Amino acid sequence: MAEKYVGQRVKRTEDPRLIQGLGHYVDDIKLADMLHVAFLRSMYAHARITSIDTSEALHAPGVVAVYTGQDVSSKIGQVPCGAALPDLKVPDHRVLATDKVYFVGHPIAAVVATDRYAARDAIDLIIVDYEELPAVIDVEGAASNSTVIHEHFGDNIAYKLTAGEGDIEAALASADHVVKQRLVHQRLAPIAMEPRGVLARYLPGEKELTLWSSTQIPHLMRTQVAIMLGIPENKLRVIAPEVGGGFGSKLNVYAEEALLGWIAMQLARPVKWIETRRENIQATIHGRGQVGYIEIGCKNDGTITGLRYNVFADMGAYHQLLTPAIPTLTGLMLSGCYKIPAIQMNTTAVFTNKMATDAYRGAGRPEATHVIERAMDMVAAKLKMDPVEVRRRNFPTPEEFPFKTATGLFYDSGNYVGALDKALEMADYSKLRKDQAAARKDGKIIGVGVSTYVEICAIGPSAATPAGGWESATVRVEPTGKVTVLTGASPHGQGQETSFAQIAADALGVDLNDIAVVHGDTAIVQYGIGTFGSRATAVGGTALVLALEELTKKATRFAAHLLEAEPESLQFEDGKFSTDGKSVSIQEVALAAHLARNIPADMDPGLSATRFFEPKNFTFPFGTHIVVSEIDRDTGDVKLTKYVAVDDCGKVINPMLVEGQIHGGIVQSIGQALYEELVYDDQGQLVTGTLMDYAVPKAAMIPWLELDRTETPSPVNPLGVKGVGEAGTIGATPAIVNSIVDALSPFGITHLDMPLRPELLWKIVNNAG
Amino acid sequence: MKKAISVTVNGVVHHQDVEPRLLLVHLLRDVLNLTGTHIGCETSICGACTVIIDGQAVKSCTILAVQADGASVTTIEGLGTEANLHPVQEGFWEHHGLQCGYCTPGMIMAGAQLLDRISSPTADQIRHGLEGNLCRCTGYQNIVEAIQYAASKAK
């Protein structure tokens, strides 16, 4: 196969519609007779509902129906939790609150009206009497809090889990030094720019329900919503139209998705709900939310002997799809890119009166990377060694792969020194250190931070995932020679309509523009798993490669028949099968296969292939990020004056798309490191409930990002790709925080918790406590 | 109590009777079916709903339709066509200035209006000029390059 497109900076085929505003997100789809839904949500974090009066709302202009928890709780099944852990407590999670509300934003009632203004107006006419209860907010205190959120559980502990291998006690006892640190991973809001939205249509004659939802997992959602509604799965069609970003927040099955379907069935009219940003921050999953205690042992030469991480993980009030599983990903990745003989993670997962946490870009791995990368810097500070040197001393060599960690993983391939050295050279690290020393003499507050990270991608083998870790692909060459690719992945900004077309175009020797990549419609596309966990190319792309191979084999046999030759004698190049001066194009073969007048007797007509790829292992991308920061003494403001990132995501299909993923990920990390934090007050009020308070980074806050790559192919899949969607959010935060702690080391600072806002830094610099 | 207004959108005059509280963005999206203008927040922070009104970049989610009475509005649908893209649209395509595409129409409108004010902006001027527009996917770097491309192309 000639690589004409793969590896090239091919412009996206998605873009023409999007730059003209001609894409169709959920709210852009309108159906005749469509009604609009608005939700009444709890204003309290924890309260008993003593009464709900909807009578006035029901009579408001334009209102068609009002539903409360009493109306639906026996009709619609639980909001699903897909994670399975020993002794996991799973609260009964109904689509609308019944007797109690558990977090600010908890949906209580749904109003259906003829337009969105009328629906929203009627919300204010519903009268709810609450008996307010004390709220459980503090993550560390939740386990012993006398207020129990789900009373029948007896306490607020969702589960406890000890993971890791090696004798941690002996490992820490054998260390020359044990460095300890408490560390907070603040709650974050994913903030996809398109909020969630659902449009539901029920056809009573056909008994068919269609849900258009802004989701990353149309097939998984179909299965779960069919179960929730008690309808046959083959009578439910889920369509993920244009989806305006997800970052894990749409890797879920939400109450609103099932409820809208149910309402459409009740009323036999299409119903639409579009989340407001306020609802999005209150009631779409949150990310991170861990408070942990690190103990890391080291020898005087910098060799790490062991790592223990005791962590309180904030589940929120309920489990969403993967909530309890997220901290387990932290546990898997605690070894970072280092040889650590003993690792132990003790998790206490707790319920609090907040929205559920779940998979936000990185999903447990940014926490792990932050733990180990902060720990490596603290070890370096303790030993008065260069942080780069401490890292280098503990790397496995490229020859040690597959590399087994004390967390039970086998890293597929890696060259950590290679990425580190390249980044050091790009940043001119030794000069940076000299410049820093000189600047300090001039009274400047300058720091240099390094992070060498590894992450786990291409999720993943089915045995390690709740719902199947494989992916699917179908390739068809239509009678006219146009190629259709159906992928079970569900891209929402990643650009797989382009990158998968690149793969198919090279394999079949056809023009890129002759390929249509179709996804996100369960009535058209064979079952698939979806797009998350940096898996679409490594798993879905591989399924595509397998399907292309099978299709090419079929086409070869058709071609051989047409050319009256043996299949083995045929050459396939640039879309042409040839032998002995005779040739036939794949387009001609496709037509012949469909006309079926002259095909081998033992072959079915048509030219298509469907394959499912089950990966044998995860992939492990890695890299080095280096940051220089400068703190303004007068304002406490941080300027990132240099940002160098060298990432290795294996082979690359489209470098432009890879860079885009890295850029976006780093900037979300800058958000976490410096600005973003979901703040609940001690009564459980969400005080960062709009984009005026929740500080998503703007263009002027971001430095120029200098990127480069090393390329260590993954042996796990034939493409050699690893995945890149989450690398930026995993690798960048510790580099930024390390640079600022480094800048403030003359002030006696050894650790700071995110976000590192100007106020915090100004107080340190100006000794104002 | 509806109010009669007359708004020119992408060169077409529309006479509409609207509720006084109807937001301009809902007039564009729900009444005129111009769904390229998106809604990403309700606090005038994200800029997904940015349109150009009489030469100014305006967030159409925080202006009432009645306030646009008599005005001339350009939305993303009126900026260019596939055969004749506006230089900023072309820049976004050339430089991978978009991923999910949701902030893109607002970002392009803000970028186009920025170039109307400053024909050759520095990277810093572009970044500050886009302070009213949030993107969660791209990290902004390629958007800066897209607008620089458009600036050089327009010369």
Side-chain angles (χ1 to χ4, degrees), chain A residues 11-12 19-20 25 27-28 30 117 121 189-191 277-278 656 660 663-664 668 676 697 699 702 705, chain B residues 21 23 26 29-30 33 36 40 42 76 82 89 93-94 96 99-102 127 136-138 140-141:
Chain A
K11 283 201 296 178
R12 297 205 319 172
I19 56 179
Q20 296 180 84
Y25 303 85
D27 199 20
D28 303 335
K30 295 166 191 182
Y117 285 61
D121 282 347
I191 314 282
R277 181 59 65 188
R278 191 177 290 265
M656 194 174 74
H663 286 159
Q668 284 184 7
E676 295 179 39
I702 306 302
L705 309 172
Chain B
R21 67 172 175 171
L23 298 173
H26 287 140
R29 292 180 48 81
D30 296 346
N33 271 318
E42 49 273 356
I76 187 72
E82 187 156 358
Q89 287 173 309
W93 193 11
E94 289 289 333
H96 189 30
Q99 290 179 30
C100 83
Y102 198 77
R127 287 179 185 271
R136 195 62 157 167
C137 293
T138 65
Y140 302 107
Q141 188 151 315

Side-chain angles (χ1 to χ4, degrees), chain A residues 570-626:
Chain A
L570 262 55
Q571 301 284 318
F572 182 48
E573 208 171 334
D574 286 338
K576 274 195 164 49
F577 296 90
S578 52
T579 183
D580 289 340
K582 299 178 289 184
S583 74
V584 61
S585 73
I586 187 145
Q587 291 86 357
E588 289 165 324
V589 168
L591 182 61
H594 282 88
L595 295 175
R597 290 176 197 137
N598 181 23
I599 62 173
D602 62 343
M603 285 189 77
D604 291 340
L607 189 52
S608 72
T610 297
R611 288 295 303 271
F612 295 74
F613 173 62
E614 167 67 37
K616 296 278 181 290
N617 189 4
F618 302 99
T619 62
F620 296 87
F622 58 90
T624 296
H625 289 209
I626 299 176

Side-chain angles (χ1 to χ4, degrees), chain A residues 11 15-16 18-21, chain B residues 10 52 74-95 98 104-119 121 146-155:
Chain A
K11 283 201 296 178
D15 288 1
L18 298 175
I19 56 179
Q20 296 180 84
Chain B
N10 302 331
I52 295 173
T74 307
T75 70
I76 187 72
E77 290 92 343
L79 198 65
T81 61
E82 187 156 358
N84 188 22
L85 292 171
H86 185 280
V88 176
Q89 287 173 309
E90 201 181 305
F92 271 66
W93 193 11
E94 289 289 333
H95 283 273
L98 64 151
T104 307
M107 201 65 86
I108 288 175
M109 298 312 281
Q113 201 268 346
L114 173 69
L115 291 184
D116 283 346
R117 284 183 283 134
I118 310 168
S119 57
I147 292 173
Q148 286 173 328
Y149 169 95
S152 65
K153 178 100 187 177
K155 270 181 204 153

Side-chain angles (χ1 to χ4, degrees), chain A residues 663-743:
Chain A
H663 286 159
I666 290 173
V667 170
Q668 284 184 7
S669 263
I670 292 174
Q672 173 170 16
L674 301 182
Y675 308 112
E676 295 179 39
E677 180 179 23
L678 281 166
V679 180
Y680 285 90
D681 70 11
D682 54 8
Q683 268 107 54
Q685 282 302 323
L686 180 59
V687 297
T688 52
T690 73
L691 291 181
M692 307 220 297
D693 321 293
Y694 187 84
V696 172
K698 298 177 176 185
M701 300 167 165
I702 306 302
W704 190 257
L705 309 172
E706 298 172 49
L707 308 190
D708 207 339
R709 290 188 291 108
T710 56
E711 200 166 292
T712 310
S714 172
V716 174
N717 59 68
L719 287 166
V721 300
K722 291 198 166 194
V724 71
E726 296 157 290
T729 50
I730 290 167
T733 40
I736 299 161
V737 173
N738 285 345
S739 80
I740 293 168
V741 171
D742 181 52

